[in-house]
Amino acid sequence: MGLNKKSVDDINVKGKRVLVRCDFNVPLKGGEITDETRIVAALPTIQKLIDDGGKVILCSHLGKVKNGPNEGESLAPVAARLSEKLGREVNFVADYNVTGEAATAAVAAMQEGDVVLLQNTRFRGAEETKNGEAFSKELADLADVYVCDAFGSSHRAHASVAGVTKCITEKGGENAVGYLMQKEINFLGKAVENPERPFVAILGGAKVADKLNVISNLLDKCDTLIIGGGMAFTFLKAQGYEVGNSLVDDSKLDYCKEMLDKAASLGKKLLLPIDTTIAAGFPNPIDGPIEVSYVDADKIPADMEGLDIGPKTQALFADAVKSAKTVVWNGPMGVFENPTLAAGTIAVAKALAETDAITVIGGGDSAAAVNQLGFADKMSHISTGGGASLEFLEGKELPGVAAADDK
């Protein structure tokens, strides 16, 4: 699945106002950015537009913004970090209205190569609703051209992701994608639609319900599907095993049986844990010390809880990765926030780091794990979008991609 969309290489932005939707949804602690991966990922597109003489207007959301605008979710720290990275001042418009008079004035004063960053788009409430037309139009009024480079938000039909494109088109402007969007779709697209084989897909995380369609879609595409994390226990229970107090979704037992049957009928390998790291209960605090032991996956005591894959499973999963030519991984193997229960996730990350295969990490917790464990530079591609990469792996069309102009 190639990306037959206009990119920043296909448009002329000299002297034009370019609205760029970025993904600056970075983690903050006490007003400080703790992980700047998403800022760094946006730099090539921003630099290209600056070099081409565009007037670059950046926008993004940050956080969930449940209780209205607040300084704790302001993009001010992002503006400061961007200024450092670009080596030029990024003019931050702190106005909670996002597109109000302050923004209009800042954009009117721009010279070629200038950069303005608007306030958190979610401060406008209407960003996430179906009736965000007014906000979409106000965003489009600030610009001549629109570029979407926010893969992490591209699965949402929000005003600043999809709504704005209609208004840009109506005024005769162009809608393109940035380098990050291109890279994401090219890597994920090739991995899923035209992979070098053997193709191994690894799914983890807590709930089967989050990955229903992903499991089914990947079974059609891959040669081996590995399932770990909390979701594995529903599969184990579906096979009739005792899983104790482990996380199980009883409403999905029939679905898991269906998937096991589907794998068998397609001649695909579906690997589940053969042993489990168990404890008397979930760690509290999550990163606190915990006593664990290891049992075979069909021997979990009724009063114990499975919290990670065991050593035999680590070896089994690592072995499956060794012969692969393409590996896609989404979701940790256990409670990786806990040092004792991170062993399974570390083993998978290490196996991916040591293979010559194309390795694509599907955002979210697996991306965080790979970054924290120091394996990031060994992966072919780490997606910046957890939810977006999941929906892509499901085979869904992403609104932020669909809204860009075709070449």
Side-chain angles (χ1 to χ4, degrees):
M1 180 177 171
L3 182 65
N4 189 35
K5 296 290 183 181
K6 280 187 184 171
S7 82
V8 285
D9 289 327
D10 301 313
I11 55 176
N12 175 16
V13 299
K14 184 162 176 61
K16 291 179 182 172
R17 301 167 301 163
V18 191
L19 180 69
V20 188
R21 177 52 158 96
C22 299
D23 182 7
F24 294 144
N25 186 23
V26 294
L28 293 172
K29 197 166 186 181
E32 295 292 319
I33 296 166
T34 57
D35 182 351
E36 60 180 33
T37 305
R38 286 175 167 170
I39 293 174
V40 173
L43 294 175
T45 294
I46 297 169
Q47 194 60 57
K48 160 76 173 163
L49 296 168
I50 290 169
D51 293 345
D52 287 356
K55 300 173 181 180
V56 185
I57 306 150
L58 308 174
C59 68
S60 174
H61 79 282
L62 193 158
K64 300 266 192 259
V65 192
K66 293 251 188 279
N67 302 311
N70 66 90
E71 277 307 300
E73 289 169 308
S74 166
L75 283 171
V78 174
R81 188 65 59 89
L82 267 175
S83 297
E84 290 168 23
K85 296 278 181 198
L86 292 168
R88 65 175 61 224
E89 190 203 345
V90 172
N91 181 11
F92 178 57
V93 181
D95 182 8
Y96 284 0
N97 187 50
V98 187
T99 52
E101 287 176 18
T104 307
V107 170
M110 291 178 84
Q111 305 292 317
E112 290 183 10
D114 283 354
V115 184
V116 161
L117 173 63
L118 304 178
Q119 184 55 280
N120 188 339
T121 54
R122 288 199 183 162
F123 283 6
R124 268 296 289 269
E127 161 75 343
E128 297 174 68
T129 62
K130 291 272 192 316
N131 56 6
E133 285 92 347
F135 186 35
S136 297
K137 185 177 182 309
E138 287 168 33
L139 285 166
D141 284 346
L142 293 173
D144 307 301
V145 178
Y146 172 78
V147 173
C148 187
D149 210 24
F151 181 74
S153 298
S154 64
H155 59 310
R156 310 227 183 261
H158 289 171
S160 66
V161 175
V164 64
T165 60
K166 297 187 188 76
C167 304
I168 290 284
T169 300
E170 282 164 11
K171 61 195 277 189
E174 293 176 285
N175 299 290
V177 295
Y179 290 135
L180 177 61
M181 285 279 279
Q182 258 189 319
K183 188 180 176 209
E184 293 273 13
I185 303 296
N186 288 345
F187 264 101
L188 284 166
K190 187 172 188 308
V192 176
E193 299 300 332
N194 187 25
E196 282 189 53
R197 297 188 180 275
F199 170 26
V200 175
I202 307 171
L203 293 177
K207 299 176 189 158
V208 174
D210 293 345
K211 299 195 169 114
L212 291 178
N213 297 329
V214 181
I215 294 167
S216 186
N217 193 43
L218 284 177
L219 268 180
D220 290 328
K221 315 274 189 190
C222 70
D223 301 297
T224 300
L225 178 61
I226 293 174
I227 292 181
M231 61 193 288
F233 297 107
T234 306
F235 276 89
L236 293 171
K237 187 171 180 180
Q239 291 181 307
Y241 296 162
E242 167 65 63
V243 294
N245 294 324
S246 308
L247 185 68
V248 166
D249 185 346
D250 286 317
S251 70
K252 297 291 179 282
L253 290 170
D254 287 343
Y255 172 83
C256 291
K257 285 176 192 163
E258 269 175 51
M259 290 302 108
L260 289 162
D261 291 343
K262 179 174 178 173
S265 69
L266 291 172
K268 307 291 178 79
K269 275 190 194 165
L270 197 159
L271 298 182
L272 292 165
I274 52 173
D275 66 339
T276 305
T277 304
I278 58 169
F282 201 82
N284 184 19
I286 197 166
D287 57 354
I290 186 167
E291 247 181 75
V292 300
S293 54
Y294 309 103
V295 295
D296 287 348
D298 59 349
K299 308 247 177 357
I300 299 172
D303 61 345
M304 300 294 269
E305 183 174 358
L307 296 168
D308 190 17
I309 57 173
K312 290 186 218 166
T313 306
Q314 291 168 26
L316 174 74
F317 289 1
D319 200 48
V321 165
K322 274 180 193 151
S323 60
K325 289 278 189 283
T326 304
V327 186
V328 172
W329 176 25
N330 184 290
M333 297 293 104
V335 186
F336 84 99
E337 298 90 344
N338 185 289
T340 308
L341 302 170
T345 302
I346 291 170
V348 168
K350 194 165 179 295
L352 265 67
E354 289 170 358
T355 180
D356 293 330
I358 293 161
T359 48
V360 180
I361 312 301
D365 285 340
S366 24
V370 166
N371 282 320
Q372 284 169 27
L373 299 169
F375 291 118
D377 61 338
K378 300 282 196 301
M379 304 301 162
S380 308
H381 179 63
I382 300 175
S383 178
T384 55
S389 59
L390 260 187
E391 291 202 11
F392 193 90
L393 294 176
E394 274 183 47
K396 282 187 180 175
E397 183 176 70
L398 305 180
V401 178
D405 298 343
D406 292 330
K407 275 190 185 177

